[in-house]
Amino acid sequence: MVFTTTPPEITEEIRITIPAIDVNLQRGLSKRLYIISRLQTQFVQSNLTLGLRWATPLNDRFHLSVGDDISGWFGALRLKDVFNSQAYGLVNYPNASVGYRLTRDLQLAVRAEAIIDWYYRSQVGSLAVEYKPRTVNGVALTFVLEQPFYNRRHVTLGLRAVYADFNWQFWSLYETFDRNLFYPQLLFGFIL
């Protein structure tokens, strides 16, 4: 689960925390190269990510990984005959992570990523807006703790701080600011 809170600049006095189901799959292509996939979904929008990650241990406590993820998102919002809106886009997330084993059962991972918008299209009724910026939209920094839960299962708890001009989860709010805003996210998951 990912819980994202709206910046006050967008929703003013009301703070909305939006939960999303977040499913991640990772498959090893070799000893150090992995293909990853991720699906985040809510009622109004969804996001599918595919990427490659190279990971290696540095010593018995530290691990390093670098990767690149491509994400496609889509949203649609229809309110009877009054409002008919949809949007979709492509985003690139080059990233690097460092993992540290704090104790035998507790690990900390820190991930830094750039957020690069490749494509955006939005439509309300017959009015459409489209652009291909290919510019850095923002950055994100994630801190995740992982520990055993039961058997070979693990539980994760994390915080992701996104500082960006646009966040795909809030496309339907049509914010008009041309500046980066802070989007805090709380992450909670199980590794099966």
Side-chain angles (χ1 to χ4, degrees):
M1 293 294 295
V2 175
F3 297 90
T4 306
T5 302
T6 57
E9 293 88 348
I10 295 177
T11 54
E12 297 180 4
E13 294 90 26
I14 300 169
R15 296 299 299 261
I16 302 169
T17 300
I18 301 174
I21 296 170
D22 187 11
V23 178
N24 295 271
L25 298 172
Q26 178 174 288
R27 174 88 176 160
L29 299 176
S30 69
K31 187 175 181 180
R32 293 196 172 115
L33 185 63
Y34 299 88
I35 188 167
I36 63 103
S37 60
R38 178 180 190 186
L39 173 66
Q40 286 183 308
T41 187
Q42 300 164 319
F43 292 109
V44 179
Q45 58 261 339
S46 296
N47 182 354
L48 178 63
T49 303
L50 296 172
L52 285 174
R53 187 153 300 123
W54 178 82
T56 186
L58 298 175
N59 58 37
D60 63 337
R61 285 194 173 255
F62 283 96
H63 289 76
L64 173 71
S65 78
V66 291
D68 194 20
D69 304 339
I70 305 295
S71 175
W73 62 271
F74 174 82
L77 182 60
R78 292 184 184 172
L79 302 173
K80 296 190 179 185
D81 295 329
V82 178
F83 191 75
N84 181 7
S85 177
Q86 60 185 6
Y88 54 90
L90 285 172
V91 183
N92 179 233
Y93 297 95
N95 58 77
S97 301
V98 174
Y100 177 67
R101 185 176 306 282
L102 297 166
T103 66
R104 188 175 76 91
D105 292 334
L106 184 62
Q107 300 173 59
L108 171 68
V110 178
R111 174 180 163 137
E113 58 192 326
I115 303 168
I116 303 169
D117 284 338
W118 279 2
Y119 180 78
Y120 172 87
R121 186 176 197 288
S122 176
Q123 183 173 340
V124 178
S126 61
L127 188 64
V129 174
E130 178 179 35
Y131 64 95
K132 303 170 188 176
R134 295 216 164 109
T135 59
V136 175
N137 173 30
V139 294
L141 189 61
T142 305
F143 299 90
V144 176
L145 286 171
E146 176 187 326
Q147 72 176 34
F149 184 59
Y150 71 93
N151 202 0
R152 296 188 67 202
R153 309 309 192 255
H154 290 75
V155 64
T156 61
L157 180 63
L159 177 66
R160 182 173 186 242
V162 178
Y163 187 67
D165 188 26
F166 175 75
N167 187 323
W168 69 271
Q169 289 178 301
F170 300 106
W171 70 270
S172 62
L173 297 179
Y174 291 103
E175 59 99 351
T176 58
F177 300 107
D178 189 18
R179 69 173 194 252
N180 288 5
L181 300 174
F182 176 63
Y183 298 89
Q185 295 181 322
L186 181 61
L187 315 170
F188 180 74
F190 288 101
I191 299 174
L192 305 177

